Amino acid sequence: MKYQWILFDADETLFHFDAFKGLRLMFSRFGVDFTAEDFEQYQSVNLPLWTEYQNGQITAAQLQVTRFEAWAEKLKVTAHQLNSAFLTAMADICTLLPGAKELIDALHGKVNMGIITNGFTALQRIRLQRTGLLEVFSPVIISEQIGVAKPNVAIFEHALSLMNHPPREHVLMVGDNLHSDILGGLNAGFDTCWLNHSNQVLPADIAPHYQVGSLFELQTLLKAE
């Protein structure tokens, strides 16, 4: 195989991340029927915060608390409590994406595998434990722990140092987010593979080395490499 290392994003690359389902479960535990309209409102606050986080303008802690402030006030609990309950609910509904288990089994022992994620520590660790994958991936790099998020090239450099500096052309970054995963990986000098679940149009200014529609397709591609 061409690659010594394959680095994966976590959310919507290896794991389903159904935020609406997780929020419904979490709020039901607080006696609230969380609606699609509530979710729309939540996302109007949450999504801009993620952009700010990825641009290095706010911290992970600020993102996690700010997105729940309005609800915290309403429910007379702390935003920190709500965020913690949300991460627990997301862990409770955690499932691997179709083809993830088969891909990991096929690659295990043939190539080194790591994770670079902008997701949060509490959720990433527990999901890897529950799916039996904690031993498979090393390093597991979580932006919250090192203080910079993808696409910042520093997080990829941090990964390289933990991987004992393999040649960059022997590293493949796989992810569903064109900006944080693909552009970030390209800027770090890695080969990249865009997991394009929903058949989006590739913008002219980003050129991943590969593009696949599923993890099954990625497995076939890597067999041929």
Side-chain angles (χ1 to χ4, degrees):
M1 187 188 286
K2 178 181 174 182
Y3 298 107
Q4 295 172 12
W5 280 92
I6 301 179
L7 296 171
F8 292 91
D9 170 50
D11 295 334
E12 291 304 327
T13 297
L14 293 173
F15 297 103
H16 278 291
F17 193 86
D18 188 336
F20 180 49
K21 192 176 172 188
L23 286 161
R24 276 187 68 80
L25 175 61
M26 182 269 272
F27 277 112
S28 75
R29 290 168 174 172
F30 286 88
V32 173
D33 181 18
F34 189 79
T35 66
E37 202 179 318
D38 290 328
F39 183 59
E40 218 172 287
Q41 189 111 37
Y42 166 84
Q43 287 293 57
S44 73
V45 175
N46 181 53
L47 294 176
L49 288 170
W50 273 99
T51 303
E52 287 176 36
Y53 176 52
Q54 287 170 1
N55 291 340
Q57 294 162 297
I58 61 170
T59 65
Q62 285 170 309
L63 188 165
Q64 292 178 80
V65 169
T66 307
R67 62 185 176 177
F68 286 116
E69 275 170 353
W71 275 102
E73 212 171 302
K74 213 181 285 189
L75 296 174
K76 304 285 180 278
V77 294
T78 68
H80 182 76
Q81 275 174 292
L82 287 179
N83 185 71
S84 186
F86 173 54
L87 296 180
T88 299
M90 289 304 295
D92 289 344
I93 64 165
C94 159
T95 53
L96 286 165
L97 282 175
K101 184 82 174 75
E102 293 85 346
L103 174 66
I104 292 160
D105 287 348
L107 294 175
H108 191 43
K110 296 185 181 139
V111 65
N112 298 298
M113 289 183 281
I115 287 175
I116 305 184
T117 173
N118 285 352
F120 299 126
T121 310
L123 177 56
Q124 306 302 350
R125 291 275 173 205
I126 199 165
R127 289 192 307 188
L128 287 166
Q129 275 166 344
R130 286 184 184 182
T131 50
L133 297 178
L134 201 52
E135 306 307 309
V136 174
F137 294 100
S138 181
V140 174
I141 296 165
I142 301 169
S143 62
E144 183 183 8
Q145 292 180 332
I146 64 161
V148 288
K150 298 178 293 184
N152 190 318
V153 80
I155 198 168
F156 297 98
E157 294 295 340
H158 180 70
L160 275 174
S161 68
L162 294 177
M163 292 150 58
N164 294 322
H165 299 282
R168 290 169 198 254
E169 65 273 17
H170 291 162
V171 180
L172 179 68
M173 177 71 210
V174 178
D176 70 301
N177 188 303
L178 272 175
H179 183 64
S180 58
D181 301 321
I182 304 308
L183 200 55
L186 289 169
N187 289 342
F190 300 160
D191 280 12
T192 58
C193 178
W194 182 31
L195 182 55
N196 183 7
H197 298 290
S198 48
N199 209 16
Q200 297 170 54
V201 177
L202 185 65
D205 59 339
I206 302 179
H209 295 75
Y210 312 100
Q211 187 179 156
V212 294
S214 70
L215 293 174
F216 293 111
E217 208 180 315
L218 177 58
Q219 190 178 338
T220 306
L221 173 83
L222 290 170
K223 258 187 211 159
E225 274 301 316

